[in-house]
Amino acid sequence: MLKQEIIKQYIATLKEDNELDYIFPLLLKQMGYRILLTPKQSKGQPQYGRDVVAAKNVDGVDTLFLFELKGFSAKDITDRTLSARDGIIESLNASKNTKYRDASILGLSKCPRKYVFVHNGYAEANALLTLNDYVEENFPEGSFDRWDLDKLTTLFSEYLFDETLLTDEESYRLFKKVLVLLDGEGNNFKDIVSLIDLQIQKIDGKKTEGRRAVINLFATLRLIASMIYFYSKDCNNLLPAKFCIDTILVKTWAWILKGKKEKKAAIIKHFYSLVLLQVQIYEEYVNKILSVARLNKSMYGFESSDTEYIFYPLRCFDFLKDLTYFFFLTESIGRPTQKEIRKRLDTLRLVIEKNTACTMPLLDTHSIPIQMVFLYIYGRSKGNKEDVHFLGKYLMDVVINMTKRYQDKKMWPEMTGNRLALARSLYAKDDDYCCESSLLLTVIFELIAYLNIPQLYTPFKKTVEESGVNLQIAFPVTDEFDIEQTLFEHRLYDEMAVQTDIKLPDTLDGFHKNYSKKYSSIAYRSDVAGFEFMRVLAHKYYETDLFPDFLGRAYCVD
């Protein structure tokens, strides 16, 4: 695929609000324009037919440029878009007849004006004739210009992307490979990770990170995510897009923390635009699956055979992670009403109730979605008895399913997250299947204690102790590593210490009194910056075990 075609496909997919509005001023800055007004600055106010106002010296004369942007459903010039309310002609009339004032710029009122209509589409022949007639009658010769999709493609290629993604042959090679293999069977998306790592390495390798380099980095990352999103939709598989935007966010946030840039407003503004793209991708991904996940046993592969004993639970827990994270994400950047939160609680409960495999953990790392579900429901239930009862039943089903599997096959959930060993253990335990130790089982006992269910604690304790499994707790090593930064760089191994041979008190009352975890909470810079949900994403993405205080300070002592 030609570079120009890649850029054209990207620009053509941009919506006007928060997409074309966002990236177009970046292009103008690269072209040497001085930006005076952006859509964000005028949001909620009358724009009078100008989305972006900029100034530039043209042939020795300071000139004022008034840009009107149209995208999405209005990106093409048709008879409808010309005459519609707030359409092209109405916007151009407003721009022409309304003066732009800025007292801080001397001589601005005397500067010649140029009106530019920008749209990431094309013009129908008849409509273009109408527009040309209108322009000739209403604008002085030479004062009007139109930038369509072809013009924008040329400008973006020349001024913005040619300095980042598309001049680096290795990046371009990886990008083509990603797009070719996007929907390939067994794709583990390692090329997406390599492509994103390469973009961050390029800016890390510079002695100084100029403003232009930062703008180009974020524009490139957005281009990568947007293009993969576009082609993921085209092949009706949004999983690559979801993986890509997750990778971009964790890798970029690691770079921000490493350079201590989380307090720089310009950097955070760029990062937030990536977060909004993640919301858009997740919303489409989650809603697509929810359309069937609300139905009874709907995530079960009915055409499969015994393999669904493995794949059905894996599918369910992966979706639980994504669904719960999506709720954490959207609540962190917005303010949902109690009615909206109630709807989300009911949705989460319904997915679990309709898909029994949500209570059949097969990997020790399934402790992550189980705790995410518990924290989300318990933290927002506000004492609602039905929610608490649901969590109790959920825990009971988890305990029953794990107990039955152990009694039948002598297997607790696989400790190391080895999915291949799990698959090989469909009928008999594989040599590489490890379950002699467990962090998940310890978490389950904590959750039982949270809900105070002695009738579940005692028999489960008996089964666990008779099995001889080594109960463990994982702690981040905070005195040797910058744990927060490292959390976003890779799955934590050497950075984690493990307390083994956890002894359970005889009774649940004894657990409440004597069970404790020596752990001091971390003061997260991510939380201060307003991106607390990013920590949840890092644990979900890398499958790093959640830290001891994820559910709160209960059972933690300094």
Side-chain angles (χ1 to χ4, degrees):
M1 180 180 293
L2 296 174
K3 295 180 182 181
Q4 292 275 13
E5 285 302 312
I6 292 176
I7 298 175
K8 179 181 286 189
Q9 290 279 11
Y10 164 68
I11 297 171
T13 63
L14 296 177
K15 298 177 183 178
E16 180 184 341
D17 192 32
N18 289 326
E19 294 188 3
L20 186 59
D21 280 358
Y22 165 77
I23 202 168
F24 185 72
L26 303 182
L27 171 67
L28 293 181
K29 288 178 183 178
Q30 297 292 81
M31 294 174 67
Y33 287 86
R34 177 187 174 187
I35 306 298
L36 304 178
L37 181 72
T38 67
K40 183 176 180 181
Q41 292 170 316
S42 60
K43 200 166 188 68
Q45 304 173 28
Q47 292 176 302
Y48 303 112
R50 57 204 174 211
D51 293 298
V52 179
V53 179
K56 188 178 182 181
N57 188 283
V58 180
D59 298 329
V61 179
D62 289 333
T63 305
L64 187 68
F65 288 81
L66 302 141
F67 295 92
E68 169 66 11
L69 310 183
K70 293 293 183 184
F72 198 42
S73 60
K75 67 181 182 180
D76 293 317
I77 297 177
T78 65
D79 290 335
R80 180 187 62 81
T81 58
L82 277 175
S83 58
R85 183 177 180 182
D86 194 31
I88 297 170
I89 289 179
E90 184 177 314
S91 296
L92 291 177
N93 279 334
S95 182
K96 177 174 65 74
N97 296 322
T98 307
K99 292 184 179 181
Y100 175 78
R101 297 180 176 86
D102 189 332
S104 65
I105 303 176
L106 295 176
L108 181 65
S109 60
K110 298 179 181 179
C111 290
R113 291 186 175 195
K114 187 154 189 175
Y115 304 87
V116 185
F117 177 64
V118 180
H119 62 116
N120 55 339
Y122 293 107
E124 293 182 356
N126 290 338
L128 185 57
L129 288 174
T130 303
L131 178 63
N132 288 337
D133 289 342
Y134 165 80
V135 169
E136 288 180 6
E137 292 176 6
N138 291 274
F139 291 89
E141 186 175 353
S143 66
F144 181 86
D145 198 0
R146 181 173 66 88
W147 296 0
D148 64 1
L149 180 58
D150 288 336
K151 175 76 171 181
L152 289 173
T153 300
T154 300
L155 294 175
F156 272 80
S157 176
E158 182 178 353
Y159 289 98
L160 198 57
F161 296 123
D162 267 2
E163 295 191 5
T164 54
L165 177 65
L166 300 177
T167 54
D168 173 10
E169 288 303 321
E170 177 62 12
S171 293
Y172 182 50
R173 183 190 69 82
L174 282 170
F175 198 17
K176 289 194 298 182
K177 188 176 179 183
V178 165
L179 296 181
V180 169
L181 301 177
L182 195 64
D183 197 34
E185 187 175 346
N187 187 357
N188 60 6
F189 308 129
K190 65 179 181 180
D191 293 319
I192 291 178
V193 177
S194 298
L195 177 61
I196 293 165
D197 280 340
L198 184 55
Q199 309 318 306
I200 296 175
Q201 287 167 12
K202 285 193 291 185
I203 195 170
D204 265 349
K206 296 183 178 181
K207 292 182 180 179
T208 58
E209 297 168 359
R211 183 166 172 268
R212 185 172 181 175
V214 170
I215 290 173
N216 284 343
L217 169 66
F218 281 96
T220 300
L221 294 174
R222 185 174 172 85
L223 171 67
I224 292 171
S226 297
M227 285 303 300
I228 291 177
Y229 179 33
F230 173 81
Y231 282 101
S232 293
K233 289 194 292 184
D234 193 50
C235 61
N236 198 29
N237 178 11
L238 290 170
L239 185 61
K242 179 182 73 72
F243 179 85
C244 177
I245 194 62
D246 286 354
T247 305
I248 286 175
L249 257 62
V250 295
K251 298 283 187 178
T252 307
W253 193 246
W255 172 75
I256 289 173
L257 292 176
K258 180 181 177 181
K260 295 180 171 54
K261 302 177 178 69
E262 71 277 3
K263 293 183 180 180
K264 293 186 176 181
I267 297 289
I268 294 302
K269 176 184 176 183
H270 291 310
F271 182 77
Y272 191 72
S273 74
L274 295 175
V275 172
L276 293 179
L277 181 57
Q278 186 189 43
V279 172
Q280 181 181 348
I281 292 172
Y282 261 77
E283 185 169 27
E284 187 169 347
Y285 175 82
V286 165
N287 286 334
K288 184 177 181 180
I289 297 178
L290 276 178
S291 64
V292 296
R294 293 185 176 97
L295 305 176
N296 191 44
K297 211 175 182 181
S298 51
M299 287 195 283
Y300 182 87
F302 289 101
E303 294 183 0
S304 302
S305 55
D306 292 350
T307 55
E308 279 302 286
Y309 183 83
I310 300 294
F311 295 137
Y312 183 32
L314 293 180
R315 203 176 293 126
C316 287
F317 277 101
D318 283 347
F319 183 60
L320 277 183
K321 281 193 296 186
D322 292 335
L323 178 61
T324 313
Y325 170 70
F326 177 61
F327 291 161
F328 280 121
L329 166 67
T330 51
E331 287 186 18
S332 294
I333 66 172
R335 294 183 178 180
T337 63
Q338 286 302 312
K339 184 177 180 180
E340 290 170 332
I341 292 175
R342 181 69 261 165
K343 183 178 179 180
R344 294 174 183 182
L345 289 170
D346 292 341
T347 296
L348 189 52
R349 286 175 49 177
L350 185 62
V351 169
I352 294 172
E353 289 169 348
K354 293 295 184 180
N355 292 276
T356 56
C358 290
T359 63
M360 299 171 62
L362 300 180
L363 300 172
D364 210 66
T365 50
H366 283 159
S367 63
I368 298 172
I370 288 174
Q371 289 180 85
M372 288 171 64
V373 167
F374 189 94
L375 179 63
Y376 189 82
I377 295 179
Y378 193 79
R380 288 153 183 78
S381 66
K382 294 188 175 182
N384 184 293
K385 291 183 179 180
E386 288 187 4
D387 290 331
V388 175
H389 175 76
F390 168 81
L391 286 175
K393 184 179 184 305
Y394 177 55
L395 273 182
M396 186 172 297
D397 290 342
V398 167
V399 168
I400 290 172
N401 285 325
M402 285 196 299
T403 301
K404 187 176 187 305
R405 183 165 180 264
Y406 177 77
Q407 291 171 342
D408 292 345
K409 299 190 175 184
K410 301 303 177 187
M411 286 187 286
W412 293 113
E414 208 284 330
M415 175 67 182
T416 64
N418 189 335
R419 297 191 176 208
L420 183 58
L422 172 63
R424 289 172 176 166
S425 302
L426 178 60
Y427 300 111
K429 184 179 176 183
D430 185 76
D431 290 341
D432 293 330
Y433 188 100
C434 300
C435 63
E436 292 75 22
S437 302
S438 179
L439 298 164
L440 168 61
L441 295 177
T442 311
V443 167
I444 295 299
F445 281 107
E446 288 186 34
L447 297 180
I448 291 172
Y450 269 95
L451 296 181
N452 197 29
I453 313 175
Q455 62 270 31
L456 190 57
Y457 178 87
T458 302
F460 190 47
K461 172 180 175 293
K462 183 175 183 294
T463 303
V464 167
E465 290 181 339
E466 287 177 352
S467 73
V469 63
N470 186 339
L471 299 182
Q472 300 181 345
I473 302 172
F475 300 86
V477 182
T478 56
D479 56 345
E480 296 181 29
F481 303 95
D482 184 337
I483 286 296
E484 184 177 9
Q485 176 189 322
T486 312
L487 175 65
F488 292 95
E489 293 176 335
H490 56 252
R491 185 174 180 179
L492 303 186
Y493 288 106
D494 296 337
E495 300 87 353
M496 298 289 282
V498 178
Q499 180 182 346
T500 62
D501 299 314
I502 304 297
K503 301 301 180 184
L504 295 171
D506 291 335
T507 65
L508 188 55
D509 284 341
F511 189 97
H512 286 306
K513 293 176 183 177
N514 301 316
Y515 177 81
S516 64
K517 301 174 287 186
K518 293 184 179 180
Y519 179 70
S520 298
S521 296
I522 300 170
Y524 294 103
R525 290 185 282 153
S526 304
D527 295 11
V528 175
F531 296 103
E532 183 178 356
F533 63 89
M534 283 297 300
R535 294 192 287 112
V536 180
L537 176 62
H539 284 283
K540 177 181 91 75
Y541 180 83
Y542 291 115
E543 294 192 325
T544 294
D545 292 295
L546 292 164
F547 297 163
D549 62 344
F550 179 75
L551 295 176
R553 291 292 299 168
Y555 307 115
C556 288
V557 293
D558 293 323

